Amino acid sequence: MNNASADATITTAIAAGLIRNDDTSVAIAATSSNLLEGNTTNSAFTFTITRSGILTGSTTVNYSVSGSGANPASADDFVGNAFPSGQVTFAAGQTTRLITILVRGDFIVEPDERFIVTLSDATGASITTGIAARLILTDDFGVID
């Protein structure tokens, strides 16, 4: 502001304001480390989905698992012999939700395998980090064909 008229004086020429982010967003991160596959037991890989921003309403987001990388995990690496998927719902005020992906143990000699969990179709929020990856470490040793 400049050029005050008549008898006016400018005492403060600049004002600052803060625009607060009122968007709601969700993000996923791997919580557990890369784990051994196991033989007769299942290995539980955990992932945290975090919601931030305005938390007064509910939010839902879908997740799905798929193989990834040079040695991708396949559907039969998971309990139920299918790639896991589902939906997470946040209630008003809720900021975190955990999902657990169960890897089926076996005695098959194979390399370490990578999988990803992908978020999609969020309602009531945008997705800021939509993918988290983990490695299933082999614990069966021998000759890999």
Side-chain angles (χ1 to χ4, degrees):
M1 181 180 270
N2 55 20
N3 299 329
S5 62
D7 295 327
T9 303
I10 298 172
T11 59
T12 304
I14 298 174
L18 177 64
I19 300 172
R20 296 217 180 260
N21 183 356
D22 62 355
D23 299 330
T24 302
S25 62
V26 291
I28 189 168
T31 308
S32 62
S33 301
N34 296 325
L35 298 173
L36 291 173
E37 176 182 61
N39 292 313
T40 58
T41 60
N42 301 322
S43 296
F45 289 78
T46 55
F47 296 82
T48 301
I49 302 173
T50 304
R51 182 173 73 146
S52 59
I54 301 298
L55 306 175
T56 55
S58 65
T59 296
T60 59
V61 65
N62 295 332
Y63 68 89
S64 60
V65 174
S66 60
S68 170
N71 294 309
S74 60
D76 61 350
D77 287 309
F78 299 92
V79 170
N81 292 322
F83 285 115
S85 63
Q87 186 176 74
V88 172
T89 300
F90 291 86
Q94 195 170 24
T95 58
T96 59
R97 295 293 312 268
L98 292 178
I99 59 171
T100 301
I101 305 299
L102 294 176
V103 170
R104 186 175 59 82
D106 62 33
F107 292 98
I108 299 170
V109 177
E110 55 196 348
D112 295 342
E113 299 165 294
R114 183 169 301 282
F115 71 94
I116 58 173
V117 180
T118 304
L119 299 181
S120 64
D121 301 323
T123 58
S126 61
I127 298 171
T128 55
T129 302
I131 296 175
R134 275 292 154 251
L135 191 64
I136 304 168
L137 301 172
T138 190
D139 56 2
D140 302 309
F141 299 98
V143 177
I144 297 174
D145 293 329

